[in-house]
Structures are given as C-alpha cells and as structure tokens.
Amino acid sequence: MTPRSRSNYTAPIWNKPAQLLCAALVGTSLVSAASAQQISTPVDETEVTETIEISSHFGRNGALTERELEMARTAWSYFVDAYQEETGLVNSVARFPSTTMWDTASYISGLVAAYELGIIDKRTFDDRAMRLLATLRNLPLFRGEAPNKVYNTQTGERVDYTNEPGEIGYSANDIGRLLVWLRVLAERYPYLANAADNVPLRWNFCNMIDERGRIQGTFVGGDGATRYVQEGRLGYEEYAAKGFALWGFDVRGALEAEPLAYSRIYDIDVPHDGRDPRVYRSQNYVLTESYLLDGLELGWDLPTADPDGPGFASQGWRAEFAYRVFAAQERRFEATGVVTARSEHQVEGSPFFVYDTIFADGYAWNTLDPSGEYQPDRAAVSAKAALGMWALWDDPYTDLLFETVADISIADRGFYEGVYENGNGVIPLRTANNNGIILASLLYKAQGPILQYVNDNTRYWHTAFGEEIRETRCLPQPQVIERTCCACNGVEDLTPALAWDEFRFCQPVMREHGIGATNCSPEEQLFEAPAPRVVAPLSCPAPWANQ
C-alpha cells in the first residue's frame, strides 16, 4: 500500500516554558487531568477565553484507516508465527521458545486488540484465551509462591534466561502487568472472568507486598536462598502497582510518586526516581513505556472506575509526567533533528537488550545495557513507543513518528523493534512486547482506554475460599459487609468507600496560540485503601425470633 503523503514537520506554536506544562496533554484533542500537589502550577483564570470541548478520550479518536488496519493485521501476524499451540503461550522473541509474564500480558493485549478490531473471529479469540488461561492456571510456581520470571513456551516449565530448567525468582513488575490484563479479560468478557480469577487465586501474595504497601520481587542468592527486594522505580512501579490495586490489594506505598526528583532537559523538568543508583543498586530509568501503558490501558486513572469517563485522568500526575516525557523527546528532535521515541528494546547480538532512556544514572539520553554499560550505538526509535505516542498525542511530531515506523515490518511476521538512531537501519528482531503494544495503540485510537468496567457480576475472586485460606495467602478479604440494621429501608444513607468529591481536576487554559497549560488545584490527591462496601442485609429475623 502506498504510504500517505505528509508535509514537512513544523514545530507547534504551543511550546511553552516548562512551568506552564501542568498536565498539559497538548495536541488537537487536549483534555483536562487531575494533578498531585507537588507538580501543581497555579494559572491566572482570567486567561481562559472560551470553553474547551473535550474529546471522547485523550489523543487520537476514530475508526482505523485501511492503512492502520493493515498495520494491525501485520502486528497480529507475529502472534500467529510465534504461537505455541500446546500451551497457548507465545514466544517473547520470534522463534526463541521462552516468555515472561510481562510479555504474556503483551500477548493478551494483542489478542484483545485483534478480536476487537475484527482481525480474528470469536472462535479464535475464545480458543486462544481459554487455552492460555488454562496454562497460566496450572503453571509451576517459583517455590510455590508466584510465577517464575521465565517459562519455556513449548512445555510451560520454569526456566532461566537461557531457557535452561531453573527457578530464578519472580518479578512483581511483570506480575502487576499481567494482573492488569487479567482484569481486562474479566471485565470485557464476563464469561472468561472465572478462568481469569483462578489464575492469581493460586498465588501467595504475603511476600509480594510489604507492610508499607510497596511491591517486592525475588531473586535466588548465591546460597540458594530466596531474596526479597523492593521492585520498580518511578514510572514502572506505579504502573505495576495499579495491577495489584485492581484486584483489591493495598499498595498505596507503591502508588505514590515518591521519592521524586527532576532533571531539566530542553527546558522540561523531567521526573525521575530520587533514589541514588549508587546507593540502592537499581537504576532510575526514565522510559516512555510505562507511561504509555498507563495511558493506553488505564487512561492515567486511579485503579477504580472513573465516573467522569475517558476525557479525565483521575490520577493526573501520571498524565502530567507522561506529557513531560513525551515533550522532552519532541524538543530533542526540534533541537537536534534526531527523531526520538525511546523505550527498552531488544537488540541483535550482545548485549541483547538495552534500556534506551530519556534519563538514567545522572545523564540525559543514556542508553544502558542491563549491566549498566553505556551502549550509544544501540539507541533507536522504538516502534512501540512511536506508535503509542502517536495514539496518545495528536500533533505533527507524532505524525512524523508514525511515518518513521509504520512500514518496518514483514507482512506475515510482524513489526521489527525499531530503527537505529545512528542510521544503521532497523533492529532485525520481532517481539511479543513490541507487537502487542502496537496493537493496543491502534485499539486505543478506535475505543479509548482498554480497561472498561462493564462486568457487574459477583466475582469468584472475592468469594473463593474461606477467611483462613485467604489470610494464609494474603488475599484481599471479601469486600462486601452486611450492615446489622434490619429496620433501615435502603442503603442510600451509606457513605461510599471512595468519596469522589475528594478529588480535584485541572482545567484547560486558553492562551494566545491555543491551549498552553491547565489550571491545577494545589490539593493533594490520594488513593484510598480498599475498604468493604456496606450493604443492606438480604433477610431479617422475625420480630419474635429474639424473644
């Protein structure tokens, strides 16, 4: 198909100083968002000159074009080529029969998008979904606790990163992402909810969430003992924590944007984790991916149903930070001419994988391998990052990103990882994560945030097992409590567990050349701990029963 024509990129006139970028998801479909206290910026309300119409969701809206549909078919072809029918799993990288829970979640995102976009029929969707859920339900766990970091896709057995048998720990970040997509399945397709619920019901969460509400992963020490460590840094930690919160876990410690620091990059205060890697021995990578996933899948919302719909981000600081990460990359292009869309990605040959960052280890545009070595020749325009930003921000720069990666694919094998910044061509690797996020980006354009709260049925997740077993596995307790008053007529007087009027939102502010900022309330935004919902009793004893 002939690529569509486009004019040369022109820097948008709405670029403003960083202090005006309070949740400014600037573009042709900019919307308002909530903001946390530490990033709020008061704006003179007299500058508002007209009412802003809010589109149905952030960024691009509408049915896919034929070209975009063809891209979706190409991305789906990866999951046909890399599918393992015996287990229902998909290889993380092309023909290498190994996967992680993160990449399995990316496969689910591709499966949902392919079905919703009409690329596969319901019979294919159901067969694949049920086969996968059955395998996940029966995976051998790491020391009886939770899914191992890696599995062989042909056998479903625990392996190490070389695909040799072994237990190497579990990743709380990967599990959090899988929990997001299991909840998507349970909400969008109620007939799959029981199967989805049965997957995490086998896991033991007691060591996965600490007393401060932070999530923990594990590794195996040199002595063979299990080591538990806090997992995740700003960006990834909060996204993964939302996966746990969606299932009723109290992870408020992991949802907070603390400790928080900023580094100024092209006049943008780019947020990053404030923990020093030299002290904590964990890098503070600033990457596009975690913020993209939060926007595409959850609409930058708190992990609860949002009564104001997809045009508002109820966790506004996430939308704010996502925009800053995007804006810094756009400004780099304006200043240097280097097309920029950075994320983590695979590379051919050693070191096999890099974190291609906006900021890490004290430096902007730092490309590091897992050992911390600088790998500047491996910097690339990530296909998933480019198309994710294209979906979430409708402006000329994301049109350029789209054209940069739209055709780097094999028609019946899927998209390549990206294009090297140094001119060395495409990264000749195809992965589940890349193709799954590309499909999610295209579905987002058509439907908006992918998690939809549409299943009002009683969930097996909340009713399975007695209190003792739930306590043993540290599962959330049932979230429904009958009140004792039988004389009351209804439940209208009951206080909701989460008072929505406690939240405040930013409002768009019109400037001379369009929307330049939003007016953010200085009030702090908090996510309440899960609390039981009090309901009226189903029956009451007869008046004489207690006499």
Side-chain angles (χ1 to χ4, degrees), residues 408-435:
I408 58 165
S409 61
I410 304 175
D412 59 349
R413 300 288 179 85
F415 276 84
Y416 290 121
E417 283 286 271
V419 181
Y420 283 118
E421 286 184 358
N422 63 10
N424 278 343
V426 300
I427 303 172
L429 295 174
R430 296 168 291 113
T431 67
N433 195 38
N434 186 51
N435 284 280

Side-chain angles (χ1 to χ4, degrees), residues 12-29:
I13 57 177
W14 45 260
N15 278 343
K16 299 290 180 181
Q19 63 267 26
L20 300 181
L21 298 178
C22 179
L25 305 175
V26 184
T28 58
S29 58

Side-chain angles (χ1 to χ4, degrees), residues 326-383:
F326 162 70
Q329 295 178 84
E330 180 177 38
R331 298 230 180 146
R332 180 179 184 237
F333 167 73
E334 294 167 6
T336 67
V338 177
V339 178
T340 305
R342 291 197 160 204
S343 192
E344 58 182 60
H345 58 257
Q346 302 282 338
V347 294
E348 79 283 14
S350 181
F352 304 107
F353 185 87
V354 295
Y355 297 97
D356 200 13
T357 75
I358 290 90
F359 176 90
D361 202 19
Y363 297 94
W365 319 114
N366 202 359
T367 302
L368 302 174
D369 66 24
S371 71
E373 289 296 315
Y374 184 42
Q375 301 281 350
D377 285 342
R378 300 305 189 130
V381 179
S382 163

Side-chain angles (χ1 to χ4, degrees), residues 222-235:
D223 58 356
T226 302
R227 301 282 194 270
Y228 296 93
V229 291
Q230 184 275 324
E231 190 168 304
R233 289 295 181 263
L234 183 70

Side-chain angles (χ1 to χ4, degrees), residues 215-460:
I215 57 176
Q216 295 190 128
T218 68
F219 68 92
V220 178
D223 58 356
T226 302
R227 301 282 194 270
Y228 296 93
V229 291
Q230 184 275 324
E231 190 168 304
R233 289 295 181 263
L234 183 70
Y236 281 97
E237 181 180 11
E238 296 79 19
Y239 166 70
K242 286 187 181 183
F244 289 90
L246 287 169
W247 291 76
F249 292 99
D250 183 359
V251 287
R252 283 175 293 172
L255 283 170
E256 296 173 354
E258 295 291 344
L260 176 63
Y262 295 91
S263 288
R264 202 159 185 83
I265 304 173
Y266 292 117
D267 292 329
I268 303 291
D269 287 331
V270 174
H272 59 82
D273 200 286
R275 283 165 282 195
D276 190 330
R278 294 169 297 182
V279 176
Y280 291 92
R281 299 186 179 182
S282 182
Q283 284 290 356
N284 50 5
Y285 306 114
V286 178
L287 299 156
T288 310
E289 186 163 329
S290 64
Y291 294 107
L292 287 186
L293 297 178
D294 199 344
L296 297 171
E297 298 167 5
L298 308 172
W300 296 306
D301 278 333
L302 289 164
T304 57
D306 180 1
D308 290 304
F312 287 85
S314 61
Q315 195 177 33
W317 69 263
R318 290 287 289 178
E320 161 84 11
F321 287 4
Y323 175 73
R324 293 187 185 203
V325 167
F326 162 70
Q329 295 178 84
E330 180 177 38
R331 298 230 180 146
R332 180 179 184 237
F333 167 73
E334 294 167 6
T336 67
V338 177
V339 178
T340 305
R342 291 197 160 204
S343 192
E344 58 182 60
H345 58 257
Q346 302 282 338
V347 294
E348 79 283 14
S350 181
F352 304 107
F353 185 87
V354 295
Y355 297 97
D356 200 13
T357 75
I358 290 90
F359 176 90
D361 202 19
Y363 297 94
W365 319 114
N366 202 359
T367 302
L368 302 174
D369 66 24
S371 71
E373 289 296 315
Y374 184 42
Q375 301 281 350
D377 285 342
R378 300 305 189 130
V381 179
S382 163
K384 61 189 174 185
L387 290 174
M389 290 192 283
W390 168 83
L392 290 166
W393 290 281
D394 185 354
D395 83 25
Y397 180 62
T398 59
D399 286 336
L400 177 63
L401 292 179
F402 181 96
E403 293 298 338
T404 302
V405 302
D407 300 309
I408 58 165
S409 61
I410 304 175
D412 59 349
R413 300 288 179 85
F415 276 84
Y416 290 121
E417 283 286 271
V419 181
Y420 283 118
E421 286 184 358
N422 63 10
N424 278 343
V426 300
I427 303 172
L429 295 174
R430 296 168 291 113
T431 67
N433 195 38
N434 186 51
N435 284 280
I437 294 173
I438 287 172
L439 276 161
S441 301
L442 294 166
L443 178 61
Y444 176 89
K445 183 201 172 189
Q447 295 187 3
I450 297 169
L451 176 60
Q452 299 177 4
Y453 298 88
V454 294
N455 184 1
D456 294 328
N457 299 326
T458 300
R459 294 274 304 282
Y460 185 57

